[in-house]
Amino acid sequence: MKEDTLNGEGVIAIEILPQMPAFEGKPWDEIEAYFTKLVEEVNAGMPSVQRVSKVTIRKEDFKRTGSLKVARNQ
């Protein structure tokens, strides 16, 4: 989870990389809808200041370092 901006205001944002074998053969819009619904369900039980406001569903993995950690600031 990270802080990002949406319409000029700071918000909580997440980027999700679906494990594709679990979604094999499903259209991309169905995968996005699944995660959007999941985030909405989680948000329903959270105070407004802790809700995720921006969701990005990734098609490709994050860039990684030689030790397979997510490369930051690149």
Side-chain angles (χ1 to χ4, degrees):
M1 203 166 12
K2 65 178 188 168
E3 187 173 318
D4 206 341
T5 59
L6 183 65
N7 299 324
E9 292 192 31
V11 296
I12 297 175
I14 59 172
E15 292 190 24
I16 300 170
L17 176 65
Q19 296 299 315
M20 297 313 286
F23 299 102
E24 191 172 321
K26 293 186 179 183
W28 188 250
D29 59 337
E30 188 176 320
I31 295 169
E32 287 179 320
Y34 171 82
F35 284 105
T36 299
K37 182 180 178 204
L38 185 62
V39 170
E40 287 172 357
E41 290 173 1
V42 171
N43 277 344
M46 303 292 285
S48 62
V49 297
Q50 294 180 343
R51 291 183 184 146
V52 174
S53 299
K54 187 174 178 183
V55 179
T56 303
I57 312 298
R58 299 179 60 97
K59 290 185 178 183
E60 296 179 4
D61 196 0
F62 297 92
K63 291 182 182 182
R64 306 258 176 191
T65 65
S67 62
L68 301 179
K69 294 180 180 178
V70 173
R72 300 194 183 270
N73 301 324
Q74 290 186 13

